[in-house]
Amino acid sequence: MLNPGKDHRALAGLSFGVFVLLSLVVAVLPATTMQESNSPLPGSSPLLEAAQRGLKVYVREGCVACHTQQVRNIEMDNVWGSRPSIPADYYYAKARMDVWRQSPSILGSERTGPDLTSIGERNPSETWHYMHLYNPRIVVPESIMPSYTWLFEVKEEAEEEDVVLNLPPSLKPAHGVVVAGNDARDLVAYLLSLKQVDLPTVERDFISSRKKRKEETQTTPLAGNSTLPDGASLFQANCAVCHQPDGRGLPGAFPPLAGSPIVTDENADTIIRIILEGYDARPEYATMQPFGDLLTDEEIAAIVNFERSHWGNNAPPVTPDDVKKLRVPANVP
Amino acid sequence: MSSRNTFNYLLLLLSFLLSGCSAMDDNILEQPGIIGTLVLGGIVLMVVCIFIVVRLNQLLSVLYTRKIQKDRETLKEEILNLEDSDVEELLLKRRAALEFRLAGNELSGEQVAEDSRGIVRQVSTEEFIPVVAEKKEPPMIKGTDPRLSRLVAAFAASAALWLLLGTGIGQYLGMKFIWPEIDNVPWLSFGRLRPVHTNMVFWGWASMAMLGLGYFVIPRTSNTRIYSLRWGWTTWWLVNISVLTGTLCLMGGINNGGGEYREYIWPVAALFAAGLFLTFLNFYKTVARRKTKDIYISNWYILAGLIWTLVLVTIGYLPFYQEGLGETIIQGYYMHQGVGMWFMTFTLGLVYYYLPTALNKPIYSYALGILAFWTQMLFYTMIGTHHFIFSPLPWWLQTVAIVFSMGMFIPVIAGTTNFLMTMRGSWDSIRVSYVIPFLLVGVIFYFVGSSQGSFQAFRFTNYVWHFTDFNVAHSHMTMYGIITFFLWGCLYFILPQLTGEKPKPVLVGIHFWFALLGLLAYMFSMMLGGTLKGLSWMEGKPFIESVVLMMPYWVWRAVGGSLMFLSHLLFAINVYTMCGRFLMKRPHRIAKSIS
């Protein structure tokens, strides 16, 4: 019997063993999963070389101390991006820098300055960024950000390819001109590369601080067709952009449908409800928009049947009535 | 920003709180996290008020003496107006009284005074000064190997230096919020200097002080000698070199990627870990050859703290799972466990020894200490992800973190109860000792700071406070209010006993009050400002407005920070008084002088 109070081996062994076990469960395994199930978003591209160097300047100067790069799924963050951030957004930026330095912690923990997730979209002007870096108070008088003058040089005369800063008189050097150094150019290249990749089917969906009233869904009853429309083409048209034609999804962005327990469940209520009302219960994936307004009961039933009978999935079919009874009833007082 | 504006903000907040206004349907005051935090803030204020009342009482008694003097004056006047005959009678009486002489032996008899049992500890002929009450000497601990004392003193001395430097930098950073153009040197720029501050006070100040205090506790409670003094010195060098090179690297722009407390690149962190590993072996081998049957509860915490931190650093720096958001999960785990498994665990171990020893009584409940130990390990380990609520990390991981954050109430309440019950019946020591007030503030903040952290993990409170300056208030409540105050108490208790040199009580007193009042100004300004900032974001106002509205609170923070820094200057002077001469003596001389 272990007696940590009297046996130092038991004490050390027990504290070590249990702690390692807990750490594996709560940190190492989730981190490994997170690393493995990740892929670049369609439409995103690796950082260009200049932006890559710019990211290193960003880390070197400790920009992460004041600037976050995460759009949380709450309402106040919708000013920083058109959708909540998902793991796949960080595919290219968060890679180990070199043998000495790990993958940069760009998500940040404090927002003393604005979030930079989509600064390249919000403010695409190069000139603005150069001025702002040289002295933030030129463009934002109330700013408390440091001036990064050491990213710039003073030259007697600008050469052809130099970026010259057009400074206000009080900040102009006695003689010569201020031009952007390599670090400044790289940093601006990085900042301008910060954009949210569009996910066309994703709606703005942020958790509000006030309780949302459930939105009413309109139903358009159709004259009953005995045969269902073509599920395969409906799936291609509406679902394959995200969940991929082979139903395997994109790790870190869109969940797979092939082999999904929700899709293949005997009881199809959950999958129908997700298609009708949308889904945002899993932050490791992008938000799914509701399709209740866009598709009829028959079309949804056809899509569900297609999903339940392809890519190795094998579950009993559903009827348009199954869909109908799950719709939020319209015109309820 | 004028005080009128501050007042307006306060009014705004109040009206907001009371009316449950436009931004939310739910009244913010109905949120359990907010209620809890308000209650906790109230506890701090109450304790400080009690402190102040006790002190004021002493000052008032001085004023009362003045009143008596005034009465005498009136009496004098009355005497002047007396009739001659009355005066004569009185004078005669007075002469008789004046001519009366004591024989000198009315109370003592003829015997010569002698303290044959060594009961009298301190003979004082100094007059009573109400501001700095005369303090009692703590019970002496005898029989410490002077070479060990030297090691402990060396740890304390370098810790004090790192504290002074680290908080000096912190204060400078605080000033940069008010004067962003204060300098234009890359090595001193905000982004590079901020991690210098945090890492220096973490690994330089707190860790060095903890290790030094631990080097006394482990052999003492094991009733044996330390396994290897040389390993102790090697640790001293390794940690100091690690903090020094780490600081230079960070200022030069070489950092590990910006994850908090993980900014030192791995070769620098490896030096620190090597020092910890040596110390762990040293402590483990010392405990292994203990002359007591049981392992004292302090040693549980200290040994486990070292083991857990070594595991933590290894997991935190290994690269195999840190691409993409894997790094973010590890970051949450690492930054939280760094605080919980290293600083908190180790320091609790120290308190389990120094608090009862300073009170000269046993700890209230051994079993409660053990309950707190296991629950600390179980709950603290699981809650790292609460730094990333609403982030793209898996929802289940966030939920686990929130649930276990609530679980943290168990070790915190167990520990607080244990400490307070140990102090029960010894409240007088607060008045007569300069060690106990530091420990008491530590205990209060242990409860308040830790519980506040749990409340902050609620999704609603996180909604308001995350990313704001409220987090800065929380980290100072814990790392300063808990850890630093505990360490000060322990150091003021043990150093005079090891070196034979005592600090000036008045300087210790001023240190205590400056540090406490500075911390209060710091934390309440950041809590209030942070809340207003969060509310401004929720209302969807332009971001720059939240910067502008913070300005008065940043000024108050700088004021509090200045007080704290001043108190550290005094602490450094006190440490110099306690250790300076002792450390400058050659080791064999110390042995001679003490024997």
Side-chain angles (χ1 to χ4, degrees):
Chain A
M1 185 58 202
L2 288 176
N3 187 352
K6 294 194 169 32
D7 179 1
H8 51 275
R9 269 175 243 108
L11 177 64
L14 213 55
S15 347
F16 175 79
V18 180
F19 184 68
V20 168
L21 202 71
L22 291 173
S23 300
L24 285 178
V25 171
V26 84
V28 177
L29 292 180
T32 313
T33 320
M34 219 53 192
Q35 171 177 292
E36 299 305 322
S37 72
N38 203 3
S39 60
L41 281 172
S44 70
S45 51
L47 290 177
L48 295 174
E49 241 171 78
Q52 193 79 50
R53 289 192 304 266
L55 172 58
K56 288 193 173 168
V57 179
Y58 186 85
V59 169
R60 181 187 82 197
E61 299 300 339
C63 304
V64 292
C66 299
H67 293 285
T68 53
Q69 281 188 37
Q70 50 170 320
V71 181
R72 297 169 298 171
N73 52 358
I74 58 181
E75 200 180 35
M76 68 162 99
D77 273 24
N78 66 10
V79 290
W80 305 122
S82 53
R83 60 173 172 84
S85 302
I86 53 174
D89 286 332
Y90 303 95
Y91 184 82
Y92 291 115
K94 279 183 68 53
R96 194 173 177 87
M97 287 187 280
D98 50 37
V99 69
W100 309 106
R101 294 173 299 169
Q102 66 175 32
S103 119
S105 299
I106 50 175
L107 272 77
S109 60
E110 235 188 297
R111 212 170 257 172
T112 307
D115 186 272
L116 297 181
T117 304
S118 57
I119 184 68
E121 269 166 294
R122 211 164 60 235
N123 208 332
S125 153
E126 257 181 56
T127 319
W128 187 92
H129 281 288
Y130 284 122
M131 302 276 255
H132 184 250
L133 282 174
Y134 186 77
N135 186 331
R137 278 152 293 284
I138 300 175
V139 282
V140 186
E142 303 91 348
S143 170
I144 57 157
M145 177 170 138
S147 302
Y148 288 91
T149 45
W150 58 91
L151 304 180
F152 298 82
E153 314 163 19
V154 178
K155 277 190 179 174
E156 278 304 321
E157 222 166 289
E159 285 155 50
E160 203 169 315
E161 69 276 18
D162 277 339
V163 178
V164 181
L165 265 67
N166 190 11
L167 294 169
S170 61
L171 290 171
K172 270 199 175 123
H175 27 198
V177 287
V178 175
V179 300
N182 287 337
D183 284 352
R185 297 170 83 147
D186 292 340
L187 184 54
V188 170
Y190 172 66
L191 291 173
L192 291 181
S193 79
L194 291 175
K195 289 174 182 166
Q196 269 192 323
V197 177
D198 260 345
L199 301 176
T201 54
V202 170
E203 251 196 0
R204 286 162 192 255
D205 194 13
F206 293 91
I207 300 174
S208 160
S209 61
R210 65 188 111 173
K211 283 181 189 116
K212 246 188 219 163
R213 270 180 229 100
K214 205 155 191 166
E215 275 164 39
E216 291 167 355
T217 325
Q218 296 285 328
T219 51
T220 38
L222 268 180
N225 273 346
S226 55
T227 51
L228 289 175
D230 178 12
S233 58
L234 279 170
F235 179 84
Q236 286 303 332
N238 293 290
C239 320
V241 186
C242 293
H243 293 291
Q244 304 299 305
D246 60 1
R248 308 216 168 268
L250 272 179
F254 314 112
L257 302 177
S260 152
I262 292 179
V263 175
T264 56
D265 194 353
E266 190 89 14
N267 179 349
D269 286 2
T270 312
I271 176 69
I272 294 174
R273 194 166 269 141
I274 289 174
I275 296 175
L276 282 171
E277 298 168 9
Y279 194 59
D280 185 32
R282 298 179 63 182
E284 70 268 35
Y285 289 121
T287 309
M288 174 163 161
Q289 69 170 121
F291 283 86
D293 293 348
L294 303 171
L295 301 170
T296 63
D297 297 345
E298 286 75 14
E299 287 168 326
I300 291 174
I303 291 173
V304 171
N305 288 343
F306 173 79
E307 289 173 0
R308 280 158 80 84
S309 58
H310 283 76
W311 325 299
N313 290 355
N314 190 10
V318 299
T319 63
D321 281 341
D322 293 332
V323 181
K324 193 172 194 170
K325 71 168 198 269
L326 287 172
R327 284 205 187 255
V328 180
N331 308 324
V332 172
Chain B
M1 201 60 63
S2 69
S3 61
R4 198 190 153 80
N5 260 339
T6 319
F7 181 70
N8 283 344
Y9 283 126
L10 278 169
L11 262 187
L12 190 93
L13 177 72
L14 260 182
S15 61
F16 189 89
L17 291 177
L18 296 176
S19 66
C21 80
S22 56
M24 283 171 292
D25 288 346
D26 302 319
N27 191 327
I28 187 172
L29 272 186
E30 282 167 15
Q31 291 295 331
I34 304 268
I35 297 171
T37 305
L38 288 177
V39 169
L40 293 172
I43 290 177
V44 173
L45 280 182
M46 196 183 73
V47 172
V48 173
C49 285
I50 292 175
F51 259 125
I52 292 177
V53 164
V54 170
R55 282 283 181 260
L56 274 184
N57 202 14
Q58 289 177 334
L59 283 174
L60 281 180
S61 67
V62 176
L63 295 178
Y64 181 66
T65 330
R66 284 216 190 110
K67 188 178 165 279
I68 292 178
Q69 265 172 349
K70 225 178 199 176
D71 290 348
R72 278 193 197 133
E73 293 292 319
T74 27
L75 186 68
K76 208 156 102 191
E77 266 176 44
E78 277 173 31
I79 292 171
L80 285 176
N81 298 335
L82 282 176
E83 296 290 321
D84 277 0
S85 57
D86 293 341
V87 174
E88 196 164 342
E89 191 183 328
L90 280 170
L91 282 176
L92 282 172
K93 270 192 187 169
R94 184 66 187 148
R95 177 185 286 174
L98 284 176
E99 279 168 4
F100 178 78
R101 287 284 178 274
L102 281 173
N105 60 357
E106 276 82 358
L107 293 174
S108 61
E110 297 293 334
Q111 283 167 325
V112 180
E114 187 193 353
D115 179 22
S116 59
R117 289 180 191 151
I119 293 166
V120 176
R121 191 168 292 144
Q122 193 181 4
V123 179
S124 168
T125 51
E126 277 168 41
E127 280 180 43
F128 178 71
I129 311 163
V131 181
V132 203
E134 199 170 319
K135 301 294 188 181
K136 226 164 107 182
E137 299 287 310
M140 280 304 271
I141 293 172
K142 297 199 179 78
T144 310
D145 180 351
R147 292 172 306 162
L148 181 69
S149 303
R150 194 176 154 76
L151 177 66
V152 176
F155 268 105
S158 60
L161 269 183
W162 288 126
L163 177 70
L164 197 61
L165 192 57
T167 52
I169 292 171
Q171 173 59 7
Y172 186 62
L173 287 169
M175 281 153 55
K176 284 189 165 226
F177 280 81
I178 307 163
W179 299 294
E181 295 284 357
I182 199 167
D183 74 60
N184 223 337
V185 185
W187 282 53
L188 299 178
S189 71
F190 184 88
R192 295 195 193 181
L193 220 46
R194 184 182 186 269
V196 171
H197 162 66
T198 51
N199 285 285
M200 196 181 282
V201 293
F202 272 36
W203 316 124
W205 148 243
S207 302
M208 286 298 264
M210 280 153 49
L211 288 168
L213 290 163
Y215 265 100
F216 180 79
V217 173
I218 294 278
R220 187 84 199 171
T221 52
S222 299
N223 204 8
T224 184
R225 285 192 303 132
I226 190 78
Y227 179 78
S228 164
L229 273 170
R230 180 180 296 177
W231 287 2
W233 281 104
T234 316
T235 301
W236 188 87
W237 281 106
L238 283 170
V239 175
N240 271 326
I241 293 172
S242 166
V243 178
L244 187 67
T245 49
T247 300
L248 293 176
C249 281
L250 289 179
M251 291 175 88
I254 302 166
N255 72 60
N256 190 33
E260 271 170 295
Y261 323 140
R262 205 160 47 138
E263 287 100 340
Y264 287 175
I265 52 172
W266 64 262
V268 176
L271 289 175
F272 183 84
L276 248 49
F277 185 66
L278 260 189
T279 290
F280 166 68
L281 277 187
N282 208 355
F283 286 1
Y284 182 76
K285 284 180 184 285
T286 308
V287 170
R289 64 178 192 187
R290 69 190 177 280
K291 298 208 180 86
T292 56
K293 203 168 160 204
D294 291 291
I295 302 172
Y296 184 61
I297 186 74
S298 286
N299 303 354
W300 290 49
Y301 281 87
I302 293 176
L303 285 178
L306 286 160
I307 294 173
W308 295 341
T309 311
L310 286 166
V311 172
L312 185 69
V313 175
T314 314
I315 291 180
Y317 276 89
L318 283 182
F320 311 115
Y321 32 74
Q322 306 221 25
E323 302 288 298
L325 289 194
E327 185 273 337
T328 310
I329 292 182
I330 298 297
Q331 174 60 23
Y333 163 83
Y334 176 89
M335 78 194 283
H336 205 82
Q337 263 55 258
V339 178
M341 309 324 271
W342 175 234
F343 297 108
M344 202 61 245
T345 306
F346 199 109
T347 304
L348 284 177
L350 297 175
V351 176
Y352 274 107
Y353 173 76
Y354 288 102
L355 178 70
T357 313
L359 292 168
N360 205 13
K361 67 204 289 200
I363 191 80
Y364 169 70
S365 162
Y366 207 83
L368 216 49
I370 289 169
L371 170 81
F373 176 83
W374 293 118
T375 43
Q376 169 100 359
M377 173 176 75
L378 186 62
F379 296 148
Y380 228 124
T381 312
M382 311 300 277
I383 62 183
T385 306
H386 75 196
H387 291 264
F388 291 99
I389 292 173
F390 300 122
S391 78
L393 294 187
W395 197 247
W396 72 265
L397 206 57
Q398 299 180 23
T399 307
V400 165
I402 296 172
V403 170
F404 280 91
S405 297
M406 296 308 117
M408 276 307 293
F409 278 111
I410 297 174
V412 168
I413 290 175
T416 312
T417 312
N418 216 351
F419 298 146
L420 288 180
M421 290 306 276
T422 307
M423 289 174 142
R424 201 176 78 142
S426 306
W427 297 120
D428 198 42
S429 350
I430 297 171
R431 202 170 50 72
V432 298
S433 150
Y434 55 70
V435 172
I436 305 299
F438 281 103
L439 296 177
L440 180 67
V441 169
V443 173
I444 301 294
F445 271 98
Y446 177 47
F447 178 68
V448 170
S450 311
S451 318
Q452 191 272 316
S454 294
F455 285 135
Q456 204 171 337
F458 282 141
R459 282 202 169 99
F460 178 81
T461 35
N462 203 274
Y463 201 121
V464 186
W465 288 334
H466 195 49
F467 287 157
T468 71
D469 295 65
F470 201 102
N471 293 350
V472 186
H474 173 70
S475 52
H476 283 80
M477 267 164 97
T478 48
M479 277 307 292
Y480 199 82
I482 306 175
I483 305 291
T484 300
F485 269 88
F486 272 148
L487 293 178
W488 279 332
C490 299
L491 286 172
Y492 277 130
F493 171 71
I494 196 66
L495 288 178
Q497 319 230 21
L498 299 179
T499 64
E501 307 275 357
K502 298 176 201 86
K504 279 205 177 67
V506 62
L507 293 186
V508 181
I510 300 177
H511 166 196
F512 174 80
W513 283 104
F514 275 21
L516 182 59
L517 295 177
L519 173 62
L520 289 186
Y522 193 113
M523 85 184 217
F524 282 115
S525 61
M526 288 294 93
M527 286 167 96
L528 186 57
T531 309
L532 290 175
K533 196 185 214 182
L535 293 177
S536 149
W537 290 348
M538 280 163 72
E539 283 177 51
K541 291 193 179 153
F543 184 84
I544 195 70
E545 274 190 30
S546 69
V547 177
V548 175
L549 84 81
M550 278 304 291
M551 198 47 81
Y553 304 99
W554 282 329
V555 172
W556 274 108
R557 184 252 299 270
V559 171
S562 310
L563 280 177
M564 288 149 89
F565 179 70
L566 278 177
S567 82
H568 304 160
L569 260 175
L570 295 171
F571 172 63
I573 293 172
N574 291 339
V575 170
Y576 181 77
T577 319
M578 290 186 284
C579 305
R581 215 185 312 170
F582 180 74
L583 280 172
M584 278 172 227
K585 281 185 207 165
R586 300 191 70 80
H588 62 272
R589 285 253 186 87
I590 299 175
K592 215 184 262 174
S593 73
I594 288 187
S595 64

